[in-house]
Amino acid sequence: MRSDWASLPDAVTARIAARVGGIIDVCPAPSGDHAEIASTVTGSAGKVFVKAASGEIGVRSLRYELSATEAIDCAPAVLWHVEDGGWLAVGVEHLDGPHPDLSPGSADLGVLAVALKGLQTAPAPGGAWFTPEARLGFWQPAMAGRSLIHTDLNPANLIKTAGGLRIVDWAWATRAAPWVELTLLVQWLIGAGHTPSQAEEWLSQFPAWASLDGEVLDEFASKNAAKWSAKSWRTAAGWVHDLAAWTGAWAAHRRNGL
C-alpha cells in the first residue's frame, strides 16, 4: 500500500534533496503499489522518479529493481540510491512519453518487438532474484532458466521515448526461461484486442516461443488461468477480473485446440 511522501524520515528526504538540488515539488505516481513511496520529484536539477520502501518485501523488491535497471538497456537509468533509518530510496531517470498501443495492427507492436528481442537475450546478473514459482504462484520445470525477465509487461510499464521503448517497474524481476516473458504478454495482447490466435501468431516471431513444446504452453495457460480465476473470487478489483477473463480466454483456446 502506498504511503504519503511525508512518511519518509527527515534524514532520507534531506539526502534526496541534496541529490536533486532541493525539492521543489513532489507528485505521487497515479498507479502501482510495489513501493511504499513512488513519486516524481522536481528539484533545481530537474525531475527524478523516486521509489522508497522500509518493509521487508518492499525493500527486497527495490533491490531487485535497482539491480535490474543497472543491467538492462531498455530500463530507465539508475541515478542514485540512498539508505538511512531502515529505508531504501532509489532515484531513476524520469521518462516522458505515452504508453504504446498494443492493439492489432498498431505500429507500436514493432517497437515492442525490438525491445523484447533485446530483452530475450539478457542474462540475469548474479545474486538473488524471484524464482518463477515465487513470482507466479505455480511451477513448471520448463520455466527454469538464466534470463532476466520483467514478468509484468502491461502497457502502463511501457513508455515510448525518442530513443525507443523503455520498460519501467522492475520490482518483480525474475530469473527464468525467456519464453515465460512471452507467455505473460499473451494476456495483455488479448486485453488490447487480439484474439488468442492473433496473440500467438504475433509471438511466433520470437525463437523462444516458436521452439516451445505445445504441451508446455497448454499447461502454463491452464495454470495461469486457474490462478487468476481463483483471485477473481476473492476481490472485486476490476483489473483482477480482466486478467481472469483474458487468461481464461487463452486457456480455453489452448484447451480446445482452436
Side-chain angles (χ1 to χ4, degrees):
M1 182 177 293
R2 285 281 162 82
S3 299
D4 186 82
W5 181 264
S7 301
L8 282 172
D10 291 343
V12 176
T13 54
R15 293 180 67 178
I16 293 173
R19 283 160 175 77
V20 300
I23 297 174
I24 299 172
D25 183 55
V26 176
C27 180
S31 61
D33 61 0
H34 299 325
E36 294 162 53
I37 302 289
S39 299
T40 296
V41 177
T42 302
S44 62
K47 293 182 178 180
V48 178
F49 191 70
V50 177
K51 286 188 174 184
S54 62
E56 179 182 356
I57 294 176
V59 170
R60 180 181 62 178
S61 293
L62 269 186
R63 292 197 192 284
Y64 288 171
E65 186 159 13
L66 180 60
S67 296
T69 51
E70 288 177 336
I72 299 296
D73 290 340
C74 60
V78 176
L79 303 177
W80 44 260
H81 68 280
V82 300
E83 294 189 60
D84 202 314
W87 282 81
L88 170 63
V90 179
V92 299
E93 173 187 13
H94 181 268
L95 299 173
D96 285 313
H99 301 302
D101 171 12
L102 303 186
S103 63
S106 169
D108 290 346
L109 289 171
V111 179
L112 174 60
V114 171
L116 274 176
K117 286 173 181 175
L119 189 57
Q120 287 277 285
T121 60
W129 298 98
F130 280 109
T131 65
E133 184 176 17
R135 171 65 180 106
L136 302 179
F138 58 87
W139 175 245
Q140 183 180 42
M143 293 195 295
R146 297 182 176 277
S147 293
L148 185 64
I149 67 172
H150 184 279
T151 74
D152 189 17
L153 295 180
N154 75 79
N157 286 333
L158 307 174
I159 299 177
K160 293 167 58 180
T161 73
L165 191 69
R166 308 292 289 278
I167 301 175
V168 303
D169 198 353
W170 287 82
W172 295 107
T174 300
R175 182 190 286 119
W179 65 265
V180 178
E181 188 84 274
L182 304 176
T183 56
L184 292 172
L185 186 57
V186 172
Q187 59 209 30
W188 301 112
L189 292 174
I190 293 174
H194 294 257
T195 65
S197 291
Q198 288 174 323
E200 290 187 347
E201 181 180 0
W202 188 81
L203 289 165
S204 68
Q205 67 185 286
F206 301 99
W209 178 280
S211 62
L212 194 61
D213 188 292
E215 292 184 0
V216 172
L217 282 178
D218 295 344
E219 182 181 355
F220 186 97
S222 176
K223 289 182 175 180
N224 200 35
K227 178 187 75 174
W228 285 108
S229 176
K231 286 179 178 288
S232 72
W233 284 98
R234 300 193 295 268
T235 180
W239 66 272
V240 174
H241 287 262
D242 285 342
L243 283 168
W246 301 336
T247 57
W250 185 41
H253 169 79
R254 299 297 309 179
R255 185 169 57 249
N256 297 326
L258 300 178

